[in-house]
Amino acid sequence: MNTEVLVVGAGPTGLTLAVELARRGVAHLVIDLNDGPATGSRGKGLQPRSLEVLDDLGVIEEILANGQVGLSLRIHQGHRPTVELSTATAAGPRPGMPYPDLVVLPEWRVEQVLRDRLGQLGGKIVHGAELVAFEQDEEGVIATLGDGEKVLARYLVGCDGGHSTVRRLLGATMHGRTHADQYFLVGDVRVDGLTDDASYVWFGEGGTYLALAPLPNAEEAWQYQANVLPGPGGSVPEPTLEIFSELFLRRSGRADVRLSEATWLSRYRFNARMVDGYRHGRVFLAGDAAHVHSPAGGQGMNTGIQDAYNLGWKLAAVLAGASDALLDSYGIERIPVAAQVLATSSRGFESVFALTGVRRFLRDHLIFPLVKRPAIMSRLLARTNQLDIAYPDSPLTVTSDTARGPRPGERAPDARGTAADGTPIRLFDLLRGTHWTLLGFGAGTAATLADLHRAGLRSFLVVGPGAAGAGNCLVGAEAARVFRARPGTLILIRPDGYIAARTTDPQIITGHLAGILPA
């Protein structure tokens, strides 16, 4: 069997990559070891930046229709309720940020939405297919499956999770640490006796932790989490409904609540580890195959989605004739992001799951009282929304001497306005798709935009209210305000929504695109 890209793993990372390749017309094959789609909730939160990615991929309406925003968090110390926290911003959507809040949605539902989108685009997933070996040369990769079938691909991408077969076959090592002092039991259960308008957390005197979170549109399932300490000889209880119920009663004191109908049960330890390199010749690693970390802050599924989104358009560009060096930018851009996520999630883990000592005292007597303040909680949410991810040191970023922002390497914000005929439109509507985008601010840039013709580049004139506009334009004051752009400014935006260049010199735009897009 021949294909351009072999994707190993059909979780959120692999499916995001497959959708990105499919909408660009890149031949690909997704294989997955499991006999069918996953059923457990696993991750359950989509951050604002991931929502923007899913908007571009054409699935945001399904995500928002199935997910839930603004689920409060009720924290208990012992059996006593101490604070209720809001997980939504008070302002809601605002200029530059159409999706400001975390959306709660179980990972299996995210996968279902992406699978449906992939099916619409003609993509295919082969379940029950095991990768057992591969070899590569300058022309491609030959992968061997468990049934002996050979798959010849130009590139192979391992999106096969924390126990990645691709990573093992590469001999790539995960560096970091394992939090070995405690295990976590997790599962999806039915809960009777708790209202589903909030998530619940109990912190106990002995450093115990228990959490229950309702899962939207999941047939009344809740996600259950509880930490357990290793017993004599390192023994840890198996995850069973009986153990879940026993721990819940002991830690919550709620004899009126009943757990039943467990559909998924698991056990794990928190790891904070990542590989040194994401590219190994024609083989790449993405998502948990490249980095694993504490779930504090809800970054795991989101980081994998954005790995795939970063890599997908670059694979398509190289397969269409761009320089192979473009693929090196994947690791250059995404490795620092993973390193930062590992560092911040580990600090969050140590602050929240502190068992003894000073950290536990600070959690109970400083952190919990502080997060009651809306301003403090808003700052914490902003630190995990991934909207501030930037690639200023990327080879794809043109250095700018302007202090005005957003700057090259940073995310392009959204902006509202109208088309030339007065139809309401957003900048994200213009960015959506597989193309590069060039914005020219002010009527004086119209001739420049007309001269810059390249396949894969779409240009839009941005003018203020009342100005005459024709053809491809965005009329309104918001874009100039959120970009802090003066008349004459040209802003080049990559297919993944990051600013590549900001200048008044059209030759800089032309030079940057040479070798990436055909003339």
Side-chain angles (χ1 to χ4, degrees), residues 39-332:
T39 57
S41 58
R42 295 171 292 161
K44 62 178 185 300
L46 289 167
Q47 297 289 356
R49 179 56 189 157
S50 293
L51 296 174
E52 294 179 354
V53 171
L54 295 167
D55 181 327
D56 184 40
L57 296 181
V59 297
I60 190 63
E61 291 183 1
E62 291 84 357
I63 292 293
L64 296 179
N66 284 282
Q68 184 170 358
V69 173
L71 195 67
S72 342
L73 178 62
R74 292 175 184 156
I75 296 178
H76 302 70
Q77 289 177 274
H79 297 169
R80 179 175 57 88
T82 56
V83 62
E84 181 162 342
L85 305 177
S86 172
T87 60
T89 60
R94 51 191 181 273
M97 193 185 303
Y99 312 112
D101 296 315
L102 176 80
V103 171
V104 175
L105 190 64
E107 190 168 311
W108 65 263
R109 180 72 77 180
V110 177
E111 293 176 3
Q112 182 184 60
V113 171
L114 288 169
R115 279 196 309 274
D116 290 346
R117 178 62 173 148
L118 182 61
Q120 293 169 2
L121 295 168
K124 181 182 179 183
I125 304 169
V126 178
H127 283 284
E130 181 184 10
L131 176 73
V132 296
F134 64 79
E135 55 187 44
Q136 61 174 310
D137 57 26
E138 294 181 357
E139 299 300 320
V141 181
I142 301 175
T144 303
L145 306 187
D147 61 2
E149 182 176 7
K150 304 285 187 181
V151 179
L152 176 61
R154 297 279 299 281
Y155 296 98
L156 184 153
V157 185
C159 307
D160 48 344
H163 299 287
S164 171
T165 297
V166 175
R167 187 183 67 237
R168 176 177 57 79
L169 292 174
L170 282 170
T173 302
M174 290 277 238
H175 300 286
R177 60 169 294 196
T178 296
H179 296 276
D181 59 338
Q182 54 188 310
Y183 282 76
F184 281 76
L185 305 180
V186 61
D188 293 346
V189 300
R190 181 187 173 100
V191 177
D192 294 300
L194 289 178
T195 58
D196 63 0
D197 58 343
S199 296
Y200 301 79
V201 176
W202 289 266
F203 291 98
E205 287 297 323
T208 61
Y209 164 83
L210 173 76
L212 278 170
L215 300 171
N217 293 296
E219 300 178 351
E220 300 184 340
W222 292 58
Q223 187 188 74
Y224 175 108
Q225 290 189 17
N227 67 337
V228 290
L229 304 182
S235 62
V236 181
E238 290 294 328
T240 65
L241 182 60
E242 291 71 25
I243 289 291
F244 281 23
S245 298
E246 177 187 329
L247 291 175
F248 177 82
L249 176 60
R250 187 189 314 156
R251 296 180 184 184
S252 72
R254 295 286 301 269
D256 58 320
V257 176
R258 179 173 174 268
L259 309 184
S260 62
E261 298 179 29
T263 57
W264 172 65
L265 300 169
S266 188
R267 180 180 68 191
Y268 67 97
R269 288 186 299 178
F270 286 165
N271 290 287
R273 297 179 180 276
M274 62 182 291
V275 295
D276 291 329
Y278 285 10
R279 182 181 189 184
H280 301 258
R282 290 182 170 269
V283 180
F284 298 83
L285 297 172
D288 286 355
H291 46 77
V292 293
H293 45 81
S294 156
Q299 306 290 288
M301 173 169 56
N302 297 273
T303 304
I305 286 172
Q306 291 169 54
D307 283 349
Y309 188 57
N310 183 288
L311 178 60
W313 73 267
K314 296 172 181 177
L315 283 169
V318 170
L319 289 167
S323 169
D324 181 78
L326 177 63
L327 295 173
D328 292 332
S329 69
Y330 166 58
I332 292 171

